[in-house]
Amino acid sequence: QSVLTQPPSVSGAPGQRVTISCTGGSSNIGAGYDVHWYQQLPATAPKLLIYGNINRPSGVPDRFSGSNSGTSASLTITGLQAADEADYFCQSYDSSLGGALFGGGTKLTVL
Amino acid sequence: EVQLVESGGGLVQPGRSLRLSCVVSGFAFHDYAMHWVRQAPGKGLEWVASLSWNSGSKRYADSVKGRFTISRDNAKNSLYLQLDSLRPEDAALYFCAKDTGEIIAPSDAFDFWGQGTVVTVSS
């Protein structure tokens, strides 16, 4: 099934840790294709946050980390800050679609 | 500094055409694959099309296949998207994005994005 499923929303207090899941299937994450994560602040373009499942581009704080297992991937944010309030999208490749596949996005609210 | 600037969006009637452009700077455009991604109002991201560094390989989402055409002019550091037979469901903010590699590889991410150009389809 060519879908990446994310929870619509997550929340946490400043300083806490939150995890956003991304569940796929045998034609994408389960097939071993890399997962990437993007952060989209309000009214801005998406920004690459994690690539290749676990790697951070230069300038991304180590409070952001990625992992994956089987048909799922996760983005974990520790030491939550107000500035982290944004939409987060996972992305992988889907062999059935023959192109990139994005998750539906998760809105992070910092309480 | 890497910059991608989209233009060409606007209000168009269903069935009509539009051509989007993306001019880039700050990196060797001719060395990288490029993509178009769209975002309908209040919705998530949807991959639209991809093009390899030398235009030798193209990919399209099923929702736009046969109606949209991706192209590039490496001499002008420009990426294009021709949108034909537009439908109301094509209305979205269209982003161009840079690939991390030169070919369209399954492992590649989109490491830089433009701010987008808005396409509205309505009669």
Side-chain angles (χ1 to χ4, degrees), chain B residues 3 29 46 50 78 91:
Chain B
Q3 286 193 320
F29 178 69
E46 179 189 14
S50 301
S78 295

Side-chain angles (χ1 to χ4, degrees), chain B residues 80-96:
Chain B
Y80 306 102
L81 187 67
Q82 177 69 34
L83 291 67
D84 295 323
S85 303
L86 280 160
R87 304 168 180 169
E89 56 264 35
D90 295 319
L93 178 62
Y94 283 73
F95 298 102
C96 68

Side-chain angles (χ1 to χ4, degrees), chain A residues 14-103:
Chain A
Q16 285 191 332
R17 162 182 163 151
V18 296
T19 297
I20 299 171
S21 62
C22 174
T23 302
S26 59
S27 60
N28 41 72
I29 301 175
Y33 295 115
D34 284 352
V35 177
H36 318 294
W37 290 90
Y38 301 87
Q39 176 193 59
Q40 187 176 31
L41 297 170
T44 68
K47 169 190 170 184
L48 181 63
L49 203 61
I50 297 287
Y51 67 95
N53 303 311
I54 61 171
N55 303 293
R56 285 185 307 277
S58 173
V60 174
D62 59 6
R63 301 187 296 106
F64 295 89
S65 63
S67 65
N68 70 339
S69 178
T71 59
S72 295
S74 295
L75 171 71
T76 297
I77 309 171
T78 58
L80 210 53
Q81 299 178 2
D84 298 333
E85 196 159 276
D87 293 324
Y88 293 83
F89 296 90
C90 61
Q91 178 244 313
S92 186
Y93 175 86
D94 190 277
S95 57
S96 297
L97 298 178
L101 178 64
F102 287 92

